[in-house]
Amino acid sequence: MGFRLQLRSKKALRREAEAGVYDVVIVGSGPAGLSAAIFAARFALKTIVIAGEIGGQVSDAGYVENYPGILRITGPDLVNRMLRHVQHYKVPVRMGWALNIERRGSVFEVHTTGGAVFKSKTVILALGVRKRKLGVPGEEEYSGRGVSYCAPCDAPMFKGKVVAVVGGGDSAASAAVLLADYASRVYMVHRRDKLRAQPIYHRLLADNPRVNILWNKVVVKLEGDRLLRRAILRDTKSGEISVLRVDGVFVEIGADPPREFFEKIGVETDEEGYAKVGPDQSTSVPGIFAAGDCTNACNGFKQIITAAAQGAVAAEAAYRYIVSAAGSP
Ligand code: NAP
């Protein structure tokens, strides 16, 4: 995706990291991280965003139609707007992955790829989630040659072609609606006989003449020649095998939280691996806050607006944490 970002060399990044102690290091640049950056800047906190990939899950999202004030926008376009908003406040956004976070006295050290270590009074983790893969034969082989994990990125390549979307949640439904604007036929392959997606999608999909839902089906294999040509499906009720001729398969079967990272840095998680947070987005580690899809906030209601709201709350909480730490004897 074409996000406008000035890239830094490893050396420049290390120099920037050594420049002093930040008030807040935000790890992650989806709606939660970018919103946290905007609010942190407005609280006059010395802030930096460490971004593994710009936008997180939203960069892969189809049409977003539930962000107040914007009737319809693609995920990447919304991310670009948020990024420009952050850049307006001159908050640096640097590419890199956080490898570890250690506490040294009252300061956290955020170790990132390339050897840069950012020192900070607080940390906001907006790590997002990792998209699941199907794990079937052919998936790796045809990744980028028919198999995709990003509908808005790849939809234009399937103009007039036949595609399948695997999954029955909001991501799959949203991808199917977007793909139907390009492909001649969109099959939704869902393992059950009921969609998990929000009710509004049921109507949008049913009313779209280009979309067919294949119920009770799972993909067991992907085949082709140089390019993907077929998805082999199994009926989850009868066990019957069928062949679906497709040019593209979009995998939208949910995502997993970064449980291992939380465990490594001592942040408590729930059973599924989402960071447990309080009403102020504080984690079990004082000074570390978490926001967005990687947390158990909002009863697990994972939306762009809830992530953005959590980012704002986390920034305010970080501000209060710093103020109270400065006032303490
Ligand atoms: P999700 O809600 O977890 O749905 C994943 C879907 O994939 C489910 O239908 C699930 O089937 C299916 N699935 C899981 N593993 C599978 C496998 N191995 N093989 C075949 N199918 C499999 O994930 P999501 O759709 O990515 O959404 C994640 C979160 O983001 C949700 O909270 C969602 O509401 C939110 N979101 C919201 C929007 C929006 O509001 N427009 C858009 C995107 C995402 P079962 O139904 O049988 O479990």
Side-chain angles (χ1 to χ4, degrees):
M1 287 282 105
F3 299 117
R4 256 179 281 147
L5 211 59
Q6 200 190 345
L7 292 175
R8 296 281 152 115
S9 67
K10 285 181 187 169
K11 207 166 147 196
L13 210 57
R14 282 202 294 271
R15 260 204 316 272
E16 192 166 42
E18 285 156 14
V21 176
Y22 286 87
D23 289 318
V24 56
V25 169
I26 298 168
V27 186
S29 64
L34 295 176
S35 162
I38 293 165
F39 279 81
R42 292 174 64 90
F43 280 109
L45 299 177
K46 185 180 174 188
T47 305
I48 190 164
V49 178
I50 308 297
E53 50 194 4
I54 299 294
Q57 288 271 97
V58 184
S59 308
D60 298 346
Y63 294 126
V64 175
E65 298 179 310
N66 54 8
Y67 200 79
I70 304 174
L71 272 179
R72 178 184 254 208
I73 189 167
T74 65
D77 284 345
L78 182 58
V79 168
N80 248 327
R81 285 197 190 194
M82 291 182 179
L83 188 61
R84 282 206 302 273
H85 203 155
V86 169
Q87 288 168 335
H88 169 79
Y89 284 109
K90 303 204 178 342
V91 176
V93 179
R94 302 290 179 247
M95 300 307 292
W97 298 94
L99 302 174
N100 199 5
I101 299 174
E102 290 173 329
R103 187 168 201 139
R104 300 249 179 268
S106 60
V107 169
F108 293 99
E109 288 184 354
V110 182
H111 297 255
T112 67
T113 42
V117 181
F118 293 87
K119 294 187 177 65
S120 186
K121 295 173 191 167
T122 65
V123 177
I124 296 177
L125 300 174
L127 303 170
V129 285
R130 220 178 7 247
K131 263 191 157 173
R132 288 189 195 125
K133 296 201 167 180
L134 282 170
V136 299
E139 183 179 17
E140 291 291 325
E141 187 183 347
Y142 291 106
S143 179
R145 290 191 286 145
V147 175
S148 170
Y149 303 87
C150 179
C153 315
D154 297 335
M157 291 193 299
F158 293 91
K159 209 166 178 5
K161 301 203 167 171
V162 177
V163 299
V165 180
V166 190
D170 286 333
S171 298
S174 152
V177 171
L178 178 125
L179 285 162
D181 285 349
Y182 296 86
S184 60
R185 170 88 24 223
V186 179
Y187 292 102
M188 248 180 107
V189 179
H190 183 35
R191 64 184 178 184
R192 287 191 296 137
D193 58 2
K194 201 166 171 235
L195 291 178
R196 179 181 292 277
Q198 292 168 32
I200 190 166
Y201 283 123
H202 300 200
R203 173 98 348 259
L204 285 174
L205 296 168
D207 287 351
N208 195 315
R210 290 189 181 174
V211 177
N212 281 82
I213 305 183
L214 304 178
W215 303 105
N216 303 313
K217 300 276 189 292
V218 286
V219 175
V220 289
K221 198 175 178 191
L222 296 167
E223 293 179 347
D225 38 51
R226 201 176 56 79
L227 298 173
L228 176 72
R229 303 287 179 201
R230 298 173 291 280
I232 312 299
L233 309 182
R234 180 171 54 78
D235 190 292
T236 53
K237 297 230 153 131
S238 66
E240 193 183 312
I241 297 289
S242 56
V243 177
L244 185 67
R245 297 190 61 81
V246 284
D247 302 296
V249 165
F250 288 78
V251 182
E252 293 290 355
I253 60 169
D256 296 308
R259 179 200 288 273
E260 301 80 20
F261 188 75
F262 288 136
E263 283 173 357
K264 184 175 187 177
I265 62 171
V267 164
E268 205 181 318
T269 66
D270 67 8
E271 279 175 9
E272 292 175 79
Y274 295 96
K276 277 190 185 173
V277 290
D280 64 349
Q281 303 300 134
S282 56
T283 68
S284 58
V285 178
I288 298 187
F289 302 84
D293 283 9
C294 66
T295 75
N296 71 343
C298 297
N299 292 325
F301 188 48
K302 299 192 188 304
Q303 302 292 313
I304 297 170
I305 187 164
T306 54
Q310 290 167 36
V313 172
E316 197 267 346
Y319 173 72
R320 275 190 291 110
Y321 179 91
I322 291 166
V323 169
S324 80
S328 59

